Amino acid sequence: MKILVLGSGAREHAIILALRSEEEAHVLLAAPGNAGIAQDATIVEVDPFDGPAIAAFANEHAVDLVVIGPEAPLVAGVADAVRERGIPVFGPGKAAAQLEGSKTFAKRIMDAAGVPTGRAVRASSRAEAEAAFDELGAPYVVKADGLAAGKGVIVTDDRTAALAHAEQYLPSGSVLVEEFLTGPEVSLFFLSDGDTVRPLSPAQDFKRAFDGDAGPNTGGMGAYSPLPWLAEQFGSAEAFVDEVTRTVAMPVVQRLDAEGTPFIGLLYAGLILTPAGIRVIEFNARFGDPETQVVLPRLVTPLSALLLAASVGTLEDQPQPVFSDEVAVTVVLASEGYPEAPQTGRLIEGLAEAASVEGVRIVHAATAGPDAPGGSLIATGGRVLNVVATGSDFADARARAYEAIGRISLDGSHYRRDIAARVAE
């Protein structure tokens, strides 16, 4: 197939690498891409936010499938413009993408579908936020209602900090003050064609910037998959996935379909396993980052077949996706100052040496070049690279990931040293 992937981050690079690994040779196009994506796909000039231009490009160049990676074009309605031209597109339309674009919308859908989640109070002013703090108590969970690049949430016992976070986002809309839930978190992806869902393998990511879950929230500093500890509570990971499919994914997809806004694409369920059972923390309308980087390397079923089936409404004809027994770990290399004020434009060196470690692949998140002497790349954002390692067990995969990331040089950069440490023990 000829496949156009829209986006410029590690998630899109991971999707492209998965498509490249298939036995069938695809023609892979990307826009706008990054320096790593450019090594694995042909970069084309088309604006990821211009739906009509994407549709025209796809028709002119006989593109078989358009995959929209990031949330912002989805919430802006790009998928609608492409789908209206009869082009298969993996990604929900504007209305369904509000599952991620509006926390208030997501809560309404969950309530209507009977999906288990925490209590939430919408606040449109400082006074309303303070009243919600009084009602729900500490620790305070405050979320921006709209898109915030994974950094719109704060969880804190400090009421002053919680109020400051609310006031940061109130000028552009409302915030949600939510009930604090405790327990391990799980990310679970579902492919959906608007009627049928197919689950992928569970993963866990690490949101805090520093070791021991210290520091501010980020877009994600690492992840691992599968989650062997799920068997302790549910008997098996399969039983957990079945329960989430039955109580979360299918009710939400059916509700959206009943409202005339079918969800076609990737439904990301952010879950927490509380003493009272599974609860939904949030939904995203696209592959998660960095969880995609550890889920897709384990996928045995051809990703292209799954994406196309979801896009054209034939997912029920696809068997459940199959995953290898290997484990995967990813560690994110971040620029100095990330997430508050990342320093960009600095040279990245040692990538070839890192990639030579057995079982390792380098997934690019924010890179450009080669413009520097010797062909070195430069960092263009906060999360710069993902070092992804697979292995027979977590100790093996972690050792490979950390050996590889230790070979990369980026002045002032930082990364967590405890990704998947507990599960490796």
Side-chain angles (χ1 to χ4, degrees), residues 27-71:
V27 177
L28 301 177
L29 311 175
N34 60 40
I37 290 173
Q39 298 171 12
D40 296 300
T42 301
I43 303 299
V44 297
E45 294 293 330
V46 61
D47 183 351
F49 284 89
D50 190 337
I54 294 165
F57 177 92
N59 276 326
E60 180 181 351
H61 296 275
V63 172
D64 299 298
L65 174 65
V66 175
V67 179
I68 303 176
E71 60 272 25

Side-chain angles (χ1 to χ4, degrees), residues 195-236:
D195 179 59
T196 300
V197 300
R198 289 287 183 264
L200 299 184
S201 182
Q204 186 174 73
D205 77 334
F206 294 73
K207 288 294 187 188
R208 297 287 185 170
F210 308 121
D211 290 357
D213 290 330
N217 264 344
T218 72
M221 293 297 292
Y224 69 91
S225 178
L227 308 183
W229 47 267
L230 284 172
E232 298 174 9
Q233 184 171 345
F234 296 90
S236 67

Side-chain angles (χ1 to χ4, degrees), residues 1 61 73-74 90 96-97 113 123 182 188 195 201 273 289 304 318 375 381:
M1 288 194 292
H61 296 275
L74 293 169
F90 185 81
T182 183
L188 185 55
D195 179 59
S201 182
L273 311 188
D289 183 349
S304 60
Q318 292 289 322

